Amino acid sequence: MLLPESMLALTTISEGGLPHDVAGSLESNLGERMAVVRTGVPEPMPGEVLLRVEAAGVNRADVLQALGVYHVPQGASAILGLEAAGEVLAVGEGVDGGLVGSLRVALLNGGGQAQYCAVPLSLTLPVPVLPDRTDACMSGAALMESMATVQMAMDAAKACMPAGRGLTSVLVHGASGGVGAVAVQMARALGWSVVATAGDDMRCAKVEMLGAHKAVPYHDTAGIQGAVEEVTQGAGVDMVLDVMGAGGLELNTSAVSNGGVITMIGLLKGVRGEIDLGRLLAKNATVRAMTLRSQSAGRKAEIVTALGNVFWPAIEKGEIRPVIAGTVPFRRAEKAHSWILNKDVSESTDDQRPFGKIVLVQPW
């Protein structure tokens, strides 16, 4: 198949122009630090597939990168986008040509918010087919990065648990966000007890509809502690999935069980804080901090394989659903960023913040 020579893509810009690894021309500015550019179509290398992107999820890392406060890891594409879904147009050496024409969703180290992206086959899965026939590419793009993040955290927590003891309960912070909304559903699919936090009563009610046994506004510390006590019958949660960082340390050390694990995947409430080491010692508890993007390609492939084996069937049974706050055309990506930063309140109907994941869609 003859592939196009150029494509449109979203990247950051600065006073010095385009990033050094993005060769092309500026098509249009999207605010002060983001732009649509025309650049070359990547060629699939051995073991890779080339996707024609139909939908791409927007993550906080994209927003922070566009703001200039999150630096692209060495070797990663400066084109935005950590997850994308679309049709396989071409395959690299060693990949079954029968995949051409199929729909797949990819976990990326950048490059997904473009008309085309190349990705190792090991970092892709078939797009999920939902019972209600929700758009498959949109669903896949709303799920992949968030679910992979939760899978990574679950694996880390399991590795830290005392020998012979599994995970049976979790406290999910930020449960109305893209990661938190799927974390609640993934935990319930495994049969865990779930306590969650969100911004207000309305959002908490929605989180409970996703499966949380109890959801409490994050500013109600006593209420959260009471919910953990009730749901776990006083034992505390085996795992805390924390996006707050410094702002949640005291609560988390109180909520975690003896031998439990606090998995830190975000820093929304600060990067520096105090922690009660005495409480951690008394509980034999563990704090693990991690980011998905920093994992090796091999580790990411393991995570994607686990998702395909354990959770993809749950999606197709309707036990896990994408929670899509809304969709935005690729060429209006700045609206998605403003929405996430709560600058453009016109997009939300309840408390002016997105509930779930925002997805970029065609057309350009």
Side-chain angles (χ1 to χ4, degrees):
M1 178 181 180
L2 185 62
L3 300 175
E5 295 182 356
S6 67
M7 67 177 186
L8 298 176
L10 297 174
T11 189
T12 57
I13 55 173
S14 65
E15 292 181 0
L18 300 178
H20 66 86
D21 63 340
V22 179
S25 58
L26 180 67
E27 287 275 319
S28 61
N29 288 321
L30 303 180
E32 296 181 357
R33 297 195 58 88
M34 186 166 54
V36 177
V37 299
R38 183 166 294 279
T39 187
V41 174
E43 180 180 346
M45 303 301 288
E48 292 187 339
V49 296
L50 179 70
L51 296 182
R52 178 169 60 196
V53 176
E54 297 293 334
V58 181
N59 294 283
R60 186 162 290 272
D62 300 315
V63 177
L64 297 179
Q65 184 177 329
L67 290 173
V69 297
Y70 179 95
H71 299 293
V72 178
Q74 186 174 4
S77 172
I79 294 172
L80 299 172
L82 302 178
E83 59 191 333
E87 180 185 0
V88 176
L89 286 191
V91 299
E93 181 181 345
V95 179
D96 181 7
L99 289 175
V100 173
S102 65
L103 297 177
R104 299 189 75 84
V105 57
L107 180 66
L108 299 155
N109 204 23
Q113 293 175 16
Q115 289 180 306
Y116 304 91
C117 70
V119 58
L121 177 63
S122 60
L123 298 182
T124 73
L125 289 170
V127 295
V129 179
L130 275 73
D132 63 359
R133 302 187 65 81
T134 299
D135 182 273
C137 286
M138 190 187 306
S139 299
L143 288 169
M144 178 60 109
E145 199 273 347
S146 294
M147 291 187 70
T149 297
V150 178
Q151 180 71 57
M152 171 191 68
M154 286 180 167
D155 290 347
K158 289 175 186 176
C160 293
M161 293 293 287
R165 178 177 158 192
L167 297 166
T168 61
S169 57
V170 64
L171 170 60
V172 178
H173 288 301
S176 62
V179 173
V182 295
V184 168
Q185 297 179 81
M186 291 169 70
R188 284 306 308 270
L190 294 174
W192 295 8
S193 299
V194 180
V195 180
T197 69
D200 54 41
D201 289 336
M202 182 178 294
R203 297 169 82 81
C204 286
K206 292 180 180 180
V207 170
E208 290 183 352
M209 292 176 65
L210 293 175
H213 293 91
K214 288 283 185 179
V216 183
Y218 65 80
H219 52 77
D220 183 2
T221 301
I224 297 167
Q225 292 173 329
V228 169
E229 182 87 7
E230 177 184 343
V231 171
T232 66
Q233 297 182 327
V237 292
D238 295 328
M239 174 182 173
V240 178
L241 186 67
D242 180 48
V243 297
M244 297 193 296
L249 291 174
E250 182 175 355
L251 171 61
N252 291 340
T253 56
S254 174
V256 74
S257 66
N258 290 331
V261 185
I262 300 168
T263 55
M264 193 170 295
I265 60 170
L267 300 168
L268 294 180
K269 297 295 182 181
V271 300
R272 300 180 187 275
E274 292 186 0
I275 188 168
D276 187 339
L277 294 176
R279 186 181 287 166
L280 279 181
L281 285 169
K283 289 187 171 186
N284 292 300
T286 303
V287 178
R288 283 291 308 271
M290 67 210 77
T291 65
L292 181 61
R293 198 172 190 180
S294 66
Q295 306 300 307
S296 68
R299 177 67 188 117
K300 289 179 182 177
E302 293 174 353
I303 291 169
V304 170
T305 297
L307 286 180
N309 291 337
V310 178
F311 290 111
W312 240 236
I315 296 171
E316 298 190 343
K317 292 177 184 176
E319 296 173 0
I320 297 173
R321 294 185 50 80
V323 182
I324 300 174
T327 60
V328 177
F330 279 97
R331 198 179 274 272
R332 298 299 309 277
E334 80 282 3
K335 290 181 66 65
H337 288 215
S338 294
W339 193 0
I340 290 174
L341 292 171
N342 196 23
K343 290 181 179 177
D344 183 357
V345 300
S346 65
E347 296 287 355
S348 184
T349 58
D350 49 27
D351 59 1
Q352 322 311 335
R353 288 166 291 161
F355 188 102
K357 181 68 69 78
I358 300 172
V359 180
L360 300 179
V361 295
Q362 298 283 10
W364 276 82

